[in-house]
Amino acid sequence: MLCCNETERTQTQVDAKNAEAVIHYAGAELFVGISPSGHALAIETDSTRSSAPTPMELLLLALGSCTGVDVVSILRKKREQVTDYRIEVRGERRAEHPRAYTRIEVRHVVRGRNLSEKAVAQAIKLSDGKYCSVAATLRPAAEIVSSYEIVGEEMTAGEA
Amino acid sequence: MLCCNETERTQTQVDAKNAEAVIHYAGAELFVGISPSGHALAIETDSTRSSAPTPMELLLLALGSCTGVDVVSILRKKREQVTDYRIEVRGERRAEHPRAYTRIEVRHVVRGRNLSEKAVAQAIKLSDGKYCSVAATLRPAAEIVSSYEIVGEEMTAGEA
């Protein structure tokens, strides 16, 4: 929706925590974005040069970290011992403009000691359906498909 | 959508340009995301500490830079002389979990010499409706409201 007259816009209540991001054009297809919390980030829009993350890549990073912190937090509450954790995120896009994501695969690789598979599955499900704000923002456009892998942590001789 | 068995998943064709982002949990509510193009980014999920952009902030930065490069590119083709350009992005979120964006305001502040207002409006409209892949991904969830401001560039005495 496009409107050009400031006075025509309705008054809205803006989330204080997401006050305003400012994105400056830095020339040569580069941008410097300053997040509402005041952190600057170089953003690349020339994918051939590829000097920094692109706008569409940022969506994948946002989704992975958003669901990741939910899972970490839920597993911690369940007293599960996670020793390493990564999230792999793959996106598929429309072939035509606008090249929106249509499907995003999120794979959680959780390493730990005696991890409960049920707890991991439940944490991911809770993030997916209830807590992850990024997933909820992307999902109407893109199907989000989650999966997981649990890697057992071997105890060393000294710990046995 | 949650599934736990790799073999049950259907084969999908993944956009090579968006192969895989990997987000590593770095402890203490911090993540390091590596974009598909191989660029690392610290991501903060403790908004009180606020040491880096948060996942939800990344969505605003992605939107601003995505629409920004469209506008820059279209105005360049129209031979408009842009001397400075920034995009201000504000998001409103649901009060309840999941706290998805429901409305995002995008304000384009374009500075230049004898800029055509019509050209600026048209560039924004084309990005909004046709080209910006991030806007197309976010729009089903969040209403995106664009506006613009044109700032005239004064010529210096030497140039007059």
Side-chain angles (χ1 to χ4, degrees):
Chain A
M1 182 179 147
L2 186 73
C3 79
C4 54
N5 191 333
E6 185 71 21
T7 59
E8 283 172 11
R9 291 162 59 204
T10 54
Q11 196 74 22
T12 57
Q13 195 178 2
V14 173
D15 180 355
K17 283 192 179 173
N18 288 279
E20 183 173 271
V22 183
I23 297 93
H24 294 270
Y25 181 52
E29 282 26 272
L30 284 165
F31 289 82
V32 177
I34 303 175
S35 76
S37 63
H39 300 283
L41 183 67
I43 305 168
E44 173 69 277
T45 62
D46 177 346
S47 59
T48 309
R49 179 179 50 198
S50 182
S51 72
T54 65
M56 285 296 273
E57 288 185 334
L58 291 179
L59 299 190
L60 303 184
L61 297 176
L63 178 59
S65 50
C66 170
T67 187
V69 74
D70 292 341
V71 169
V72 160
S73 165
I74 293 165
L75 291 180
R76 187 183 296 144
K77 279 177 192 151
K78 289 177 185 283
R79 302 190 180 282
E80 294 289 332
Q81 292 186 55
V82 176
T83 55
D84 190 57
Y85 176 36
R86 72 173 188 271
I87 307 104
E88 301 166 353
V89 186
R90 284 167 182 267
E92 290 171 57
R93 300 169 60 174
R94 279 167 43 95
E96 307 300 320
H97 289 297
R99 300 203 52 232
Y101 285 119
T102 53
R103 177 184 164 98
I104 304 178
E105 296 182 16
V106 182
R107 183 159 185 80
H108 301 258
V109 183
V110 192
R111 192 182 183 99
R113 290 184 183 160
N114 302 315
L115 284 177
S116 152
E117 183 177 344
K118 190 179 163 195
V120 171
Q122 201 171 33
I124 294 169
K125 195 173 178 180
L126 271 172
S127 172
D128 241 18
K130 185 169 179 187
Y131 291 113
C132 179
S133 307
V134 174
T137 305
L138 303 184
R139 184 175 293 112
E143 180 190 16
I144 298 178
V145 183
S146 297
S147 63
Y148 60 82
E149 183 183 331
I150 295 175
V151 183
E153 177 89 20
E154 297 292 332
M155 286 200 183
T156 62
E159 293 173 307
Chain B
M1 183 178 146
L2 185 74
C3 77
C4 55
N5 191 332
E6 186 68 23
T7 59
E8 283 172 12
R9 290 162 58 206
T10 53
Q11 196 73 21
T12 56
Q13 195 180 2
V14 173
D15 181 356
K17 282 190 180 173
N18 287 279
E20 183 174 270
V22 182
I23 297 93
H24 294 271
Y25 181 52
E29 283 24 272
L30 284 165
F31 290 82
V32 177
I34 303 174
S35 76
S37 63
H39 299 284
L41 184 66
I43 306 168
E44 174 69 275
T45 62
D46 177 346
S47 59
T48 309
R49 178 178 51 198
S50 183
S51 71
T54 65
M56 284 298 273
E57 288 185 334
L58 291 180
L59 299 190
L60 303 183
L61 297 176
L63 178 59
S65 50
C66 171
T67 188
V69 74
D70 292 341
V71 169
V72 161
S73 166
I74 294 165
L75 290 180
R76 187 182 296 144
K77 280 178 192 151
K78 290 175 183 287
R79 302 190 179 283
E80 294 290 331
Q81 291 186 57
V82 175
T83 56
D84 190 56
Y85 175 36
R86 71 172 187 272
I87 307 105
E88 301 166 352
V89 186
R90 284 167 182 269
E92 289 171 60
R93 299 169 61 175
R94 278 167 43 95
E96 306 300 320
H97 290 295
R99 300 203 51 230
Y101 285 119
T102 53
R103 178 185 164 98
I104 304 178
E105 296 183 16
V106 182
R107 183 158 185 80
H108 302 258
V109 183
V110 192
R111 192 182 182 98
R113 291 187 183 157
N114 302 314
L115 284 178
S116 151
E117 182 176 346
K118 189 180 164 195
V120 171
Q122 200 171 33
I124 294 169
K125 194 172 180 181
L126 271 173
S127 172
D128 241 18
K130 185 169 180 187
Y131 291 113
C132 179
S133 307
V134 173
T137 305
L138 303 184
R139 183 175 294 111
E143 181 190 14
I144 298 178
V145 184
S146 297
S147 64
Y148 61 80
E149 182 183 332
I150 295 175
V151 183
E153 177 90 20
E154 296 293 330
M155 288 199 183
T156 62
E159 293 173 309

